[in-house]
Structures are given as C-alpha cells and as structure tokens.
C-alpha cells in the first residue's frame, strides 16, 4: 500500500472515530437535556410530557401557599400572557418570593400543572436567567 493511501485511510478512520464519539455523546446526553419553556410557550405548543424541562417566569403576587407539612410550596408562574401552577417539595432559595423571577426544573403533569424538583431564584435586582430574559422580552412583560 502506498503512503498516500495509508494517510487517506488513517484520515478516514480519524473522521469516523470523531463522528462515532459525537454520536455516542449525543446519545448519552439526550435524556439529560433540559428544555426551557415560558407559560405562554406551553399554552401555544402544548404540554411537553415525560421529559425534564425548565419553566421560567415571574412568581405571581399572592400565589405562594405553603402546605402544612412545612416543605411543600404551591405557587403560580406567569409571563404576562399565561400562568402555570407549580408545586415544589423542598427548601426554597432565600431569594424566592412573589414578583421575582424564578426558573423551576421538573416535569409537567397531564392536568397542566408543573412539579418542580429544583428552584432557581434571581440573586439580585438586575439578574435574570438568560433564557428567561429572552422570553420576557418576546412577551414584553417586565412589570414587577
């Protein structure tokens, strides 16, 4: 075999190995990917059932209710167009409060509610998660 053919064969094997590694990584990460939705997106596109997603928006005023167990919190997330009821069982972040931005990680239920496994709250007056900021500008609702 000529040296030129050997180099071509090695190059093709290298490209095949890189493609195989990329496909393997994508396959392993597909269940770990978490998509971001605002309540209006869910209203428009329907419920993404059976997969981990992020729901972002503003915690509606007067919507936070704590269950008697002291751990479960019910609240409503809105984006100015639509709202989604959320249930979270756990310790809420210190900065979690009404009229503040929140990103809830979890899954949608068939009834349209959202069960969160993790809550992310803004850390100061100017911070807003990049995904949420883009969605809020699209819906033109930055009111407190």
């Amino acid at each position: 075999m000529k040296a030129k053919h050997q180099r071509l064969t090695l190059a093709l094997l290298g490209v095949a190995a890189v493609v195989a590694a990329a496909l393997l990584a994508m396959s392993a990460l597909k269940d770990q990917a978490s998509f971001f939705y605002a309540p209006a997106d869910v209203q428009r596109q329907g419920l993404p059932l059976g997969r981990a997603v992020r729901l972002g928006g503003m915690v509606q005023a007067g919507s936070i209710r704590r269950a008697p167990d002291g751990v479960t919190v019910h609240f409503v997330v809105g984006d100015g167009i639509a709202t989604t009821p959320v249930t979270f069982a756990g310790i809420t972040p210190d900065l979690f409060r009404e009229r503040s931005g929140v990103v809830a990680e979890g899954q949608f239920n068939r009834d349209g509610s959202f069960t969160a496994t993790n809550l992310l709250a803004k850390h100061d007056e100017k911070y807003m998660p990049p995904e949420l900021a883009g969605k809020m500008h699209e819906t033109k609702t930055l009111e407190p």
Side-chain angles (χ1 to χ4, degrees), residues 65-73 88-92:
R65 293 184 343 265
R66 299 195 184 273
D69 66 6
V71 179
T72 305
V73 179
F88 174 68
I91 299 172
T92 58

Side-chain angles (χ1 to χ4, degrees), residues 38-107:
D41 295 334
V42 175
Q43 187 179 36
R44 256 191 321 272
Q45 301 168 5
L47 294 173
L49 295 172
R51 66 178 193 205
V53 295
R54 290 181 177 163
L55 174 70
M58 304 298 279
V59 178
Q60 300 294 298
S63 70
I64 297 177
R65 293 184 343 265
R66 299 195 184 273
D69 66 6
V71 179
T72 305
V73 179
H74 303 278
F75 59 97
V76 177
V77 172
D79 61 2
I81 296 174
T83 59
T84 302
V86 178
T87 301
F88 174 68
I91 299 172
T92 58
D94 289 339
L95 296 174
F96 173 78
R97 61 181 155 262
E98 296 174 351
R99 296 183 179 164
S100 68
V102 67
V103 174
E105 297 175 339
Q107 290 188 338

